Amino acid sequence: MTVPGVQSVAARKASAVDLVLHEIRRSILSGALPPGQPFTVPALTERLGVSHVPVREALRQLEAQGLVTLSPSRSATVTPLDADDLRALYRLRITVEPELAALSAPHRTDAEIAELDGMVRATFGDVLGEAFWEPHRAFHAAMIEPAASDWDRRMLAPLWDASERYTRLVFDPVEAPESFATRRAHAHDELVDAARSRDPETVRAAVREHLENNLTTMLDEMSTIDTSRRRLWSGRDATA
């Protein structure tokens, strides 16, 4: 069994688990490993150019993120996307993130607000390919500081990991970079404007509206997606 889209990590410098995790996750999020795609640990080991130990550890972490489903045998499957799962992810995010952002609001300094504004400029400026997602996530992490505790961050990290695969399929900066940058920058400018007010209620409402709008957009996209892509998401067209 081959694993299309996955590249060898043997020559890269970093911990083997981190490299394997990054490469498998990149392949899943980019669609190179589509939902429902089955693969085996030996096939991944050969393709990645590493031993089975970091592959197994990386797959365990990806399972915790909801990206793969492991079987008792030496195989795994890319978890199909599901509208109910998306709703559940955002229900939790909408419960936690607006409140943390509101608690952070009165304590923001001018420098921190300027940093938020700069993050929007950087995220939707020159970075519109694969590298877009890391600064985008950093912006949302900054919105809940300084109120977020270590427990908050640990809880939100897998929610962000799991929801990102949905957002990547809908908010794709590669297909139409200019219109994408304009629309998404405006949406995030509204969050910065809310933070600038330092008013908890204003910030809470802005973050909640932002997340609710994203959820609505993604659900609409999933409901109107073409038949062939819908089959791909459910795993019906996956091949070994």
Side-chain angles (χ1 to χ4, degrees), residues 99-129:
E99 185 62 26
L100 289 174
L103 291 171
S104 300
H107 308 291
R108 292 197 189 279
T109 65
D110 290 342
E112 288 169 342
I113 292 173
E115 183 178 4
L116 284 174
D117 187 64
M119 293 173 79
V120 174
R121 305 283 79 73
T123 301
F124 298 99
D126 296 331
V127 183
L128 284 179

Side-chain angles (χ1 to χ4, degrees), residues 28-86:
I28 292 172
L29 293 173
S30 69
L33 280 175
Q37 173 73 53
F39 52 88
T40 66
V41 171
L44 270 179
T45 298
E46 180 179 357
R47 183 72 173 177
L48 291 164
V50 296
S51 73
H52 71 277
V53 175
V55 172
R56 288 186 180 279
E57 176 57 30
L59 288 175
R60 279 194 289 268
Q61 293 186 37
L62 289 166
E63 183 179 42
Q65 297 171 10
L67 293 174
V68 302
T69 301
L70 300 180
S71 69
S73 63
R74 304 174 70 188
S75 64
T77 303
V78 179
T79 306
L81 302 180
D82 181 83
D84 287 338
D85 285 345
L86 179 60

